[in-house]
Structures are given as C-alpha cells and as structure tokens.
Amino acid sequence: MEIAIGIDVHKEKCAAFAKFAGKGEPRPRHEEFLEKFNERFRRFDSDYRGMTELADFLRDHSVHILIENSTKSQDVYWMLRGLGLEVTVAHATDLKHITESMNKNDDNDAAKLAGYMRRRLWGEIEFARCYIPMQEILLQRELCRYDLRLRSELTALKCQIRSHMLIRGWKLTRDYQNIVCVAALRELNAADIDIFKFDVAKARYLKQLVAETDRALRARMETNRMFDIIWSIPGFGILSASYMTCMIDDISRFRDGKSLAAWMGLTPKLDESADKPKNCGITRRGIPR
C-alpha cells in the first residue's frame, strides 16, 4: 500500500498522521491499517526508539513522509533515512495552510502535512525541499556550538573573578588585559583564598577544554579549502571560520554572492511606500531557501 505520512516534529514528542496515497479507493484492510497507525502514532517519542517503532510498523508498505523544517527536523530526517524510509523536509513558506491556520495544533498540522504529501504524489502540487546537511556536517556544527558555550562560560567566569576581587578589595600586581592568562591565574592561586582557588581551577579547566575543542575543529577542517579561505580573512578565528564553513557546507547551492549574503542575513531590508524605495538595516535573518 502506498501511504503519505505527515509528521509534526517537536523536541521530545512527534505527531504523525497517515493517508492512503494509492490509486482508486482504499480497501477495508487498508483503512483499518491506517486507523491503527493514526491511533498508535498520534503521539510518539522523537528519539531513535520512537522512530524505530514507526519504521517497524510501516514495514512492507511504500511510505512517503513529509516533515516541516525546524530545529529538530534534521535529526529526525537522518534517523528515518537510516531506517530506510523516504523523507522530504519542506519549507514552512510552502506550507501556508499550516503556518496561516487559525486551528493550529499538532494533530491538524500532521494531517495537513500528510495531505500535502499525497497531493504531491498525485502531481497536483510541488514545493521546495530543504537542504539537509550530511551527518558529519551536523556533528561539526554541534562541536562549534559546544566550543562557543565553553567560551561564553569562560567570559562569564572572568566577570565573576573580578567581582570576587572587588568584594575582597584584592588587586593583582598589574592590570592584566586577560584576567585568566597564566600569570594572572598564578597570582590568584598564590593568594591562598579559597574562592580564588576555585576560580583558578575552573578557569584552567575551561581553557583546556577550549584548546582541545579548537584542535579538534582544526583537525576536521584540515583539508577544507573553504575553511582556509575564510580563516585567512582578518578577524576570523578557528571557531568563527569553522562555524561559517560548516553552516555554508556546499557553496554550489548558492547562485551567486548575493544569494549567499541574503542567506546570511547581510542584505538590507527594503521598505517601499508610494513608489519610494528605502534601504533599511540588514535583516539579520537568512532566507531559508
């Protein structure tokens, strides 16, 4: 049996709905199967176990799954693909009946996604597919985000150390630009104050993690020509160059430099009134295409 399935994806739970997508009218046993599926997978876990149960239930059927692009959709896409299912990720801008619906909930969204997929299989509509990076690229992005979180935590620790020094009226022998440099941490540790010792231990630990993460990023980007070009631009470090490289991924998917700038949100917003165009500030948000 040919089945069109819509899955409304969320962080912890998903909602699925299936519709008959074959030719003619569904047979009674087909209708019974679809009813069981819709009841069983009205809510199911977004993890690998939940996706495995869904794939096992649909075994021996021709399945076409449609999900809306979101932060979780890439993980779900690769889980379902790994289980041998055909999956399409569509842009929200092409699913207007869902995004503009006045009766929006998980069940209705899943049913409408299934309807979209069925109409596409019947050749009635077409919609743009999202670009889904390879799993290796997704892992690199997570590594960049982890590095960024470590750096943010280290920055917060610098403020915390200065606050502890101010409360105790304690000063370093010199005004260090980087208060977690080796010399500054050595002075803080020698002060023999408990809170300073804790700060020093945490700073050294975070600095070690940042250094190891940077080495891992550099090793992953060792043969990447685009990374080398971006890293050569003044102001770019290993983290920023790595993050931009793995976010762009395949540069050939952009028509030209203008498309890349629009995707990055660097293009100015256009405000037009009474045939008088006016360029405003940059959009700071990319076009999902």
Side-chain angles (χ1 to χ4, degrees):
M1 176 174 57
E2 193 164 14
I3 306 173
I5 297 178
I7 301 181
D8 190 36
V9 178
H10 294 282
K11 186 176 181 179
E12 296 181 356
K13 294 287 183 179
C14 291
F17 193 89
K19 292 186 177 183
F20 179 76
K23 296 180 180 179
E25 295 295 326
R27 298 178 181 179
R29 60 186 178 88
H30 293 161
E31 293 180 345
E32 182 181 355
F33 176 85
L34 293 175
E35 288 179 5
K36 289 181 179 179
F37 176 88
N38 292 333
E39 181 179 354
R40 166 63 184 83
F41 293 97
R42 183 173 178 268
R43 293 290 184 278
F44 66 102
D45 293 334
S46 300
D47 57 12
Y48 187 77
R49 180 181 177 182
M51 299 302 159
T52 302
E53 291 177 357
L54 182 139
D56 290 341
F57 196 95
L58 295 170
R59 190 171 297 170
D60 301 327
H61 294 281
S62 178
V63 179
H64 310 273
I65 299 175
L66 176 64
I67 58 180
E68 184 181 355
N69 189 29
S70 66
T71 54
K72 183 69 176 179
S73 59
Q74 295 177 350
D75 296 335
V76 172
Y77 173 86
W78 283 114
M79 281 191 283
L80 293 174
R81 283 291 303 274
L83 293 168
L85 297 176
E86 178 189 326
V87 187
T88 300
V89 181
H91 292 288
T93 52
D94 286 341
L95 308 175
K96 293 184 178 180
H97 288 297
I98 296 176
T99 56
E100 298 177 0
S101 175
M102 299 297 292
N103 189 22
K104 187 174 177 61
N105 57 54
D106 295 346
D107 296 332
N108 290 340
D109 289 353
K112 288 177 180 177
L113 285 169
Y116 268 108
M117 176 53 77
R118 181 168 65 177
R119 291 178 61 193
R120 179 178 178 272
L121 293 172
W122 289 349
E124 296 178 2
I125 61 171
E126 189 56 70
F127 40 76
R129 300 185 182 186
C130 288
Y131 175 77
I132 304 297
M134 299 298 293
Q135 291 170 297
E136 178 65 22
I137 299 298
L138 294 177
L139 290 175
Q140 290 177 5
R141 291 181 181 181
E142 284 302 312
L143 188 59
C144 289
R145 294 183 183 116
Y146 176 68
D147 195 350
L148 183 59
R149 287 194 296 270
L150 290 176
R151 291 172 184 269
S152 299
E153 193 172 347
L154 188 59
T155 300
L157 180 61
K158 292 178 182 179
C159 297
Q160 181 178 310
I161 292 174
R162 294 189 184 279
S163 176
H164 291 162
M165 291 170 55
L166 183 63
I167 291 172
R168 285 158 181 77
W170 194 88
K171 291 184 178 181
L172 294 167
T173 57
R174 52 177 290 193
D175 187 17
Y176 292 99
Q177 185 175 3
N178 181 10
I179 202 169
V180 293
C181 67
V182 175
L185 293 179
R186 189 184 299 117
E187 279 194 47
L188 287 167
N189 198 47
D192 200 25
I193 299 176
D194 288 343
I195 192 64
F196 288 174
K197 289 182 178 293
F198 296 147
D199 289 339
V200 169
K202 186 175 181 180
R204 287 173 175 169
Y205 174 69
L206 288 174
K207 288 178 66 177
Q208 181 182 355
L209 285 180
V210 169
E212 291 176 358
T213 308
D214 285 348
R215 283 195 294 270
L217 286 173
R218 187 69 186 94
R220 286 175 175 269
M221 298 292 176
E222 188 174 5
T223 59
N224 194 309
R225 175 60 177 161
M226 183 164 58
F227 169 81
D228 293 335
I229 294 173
I230 296 175
W231 196 23
S232 66
I233 301 174
F236 276 88
I238 292 178
L239 174 58
S240 54
S242 299
Y243 196 58
M244 179 170 285
T245 300
C246 62
M247 289 302 293
I248 294 174
D249 189 14
D250 183 10
I251 194 70
S252 63
R253 63 193 178 102
F254 299 101
R255 294 190 304 271
D256 48 32
K258 292 182 179 180
S259 299
L260 177 60
W263 175 81
M264 295 176 66
L266 298 177
T267 53
K269 182 180 179 181
L270 181 63
D271 184 13
E272 190 171 357
S273 178
D275 297 329
K276 294 181 179 179
K278 178 183 178 182
N279 286 330
C280 305
I282 60 175
T283 60
R284 294 191 180 183
R285 56 182 299 180
I287 298 175
R289 297 180 188 275

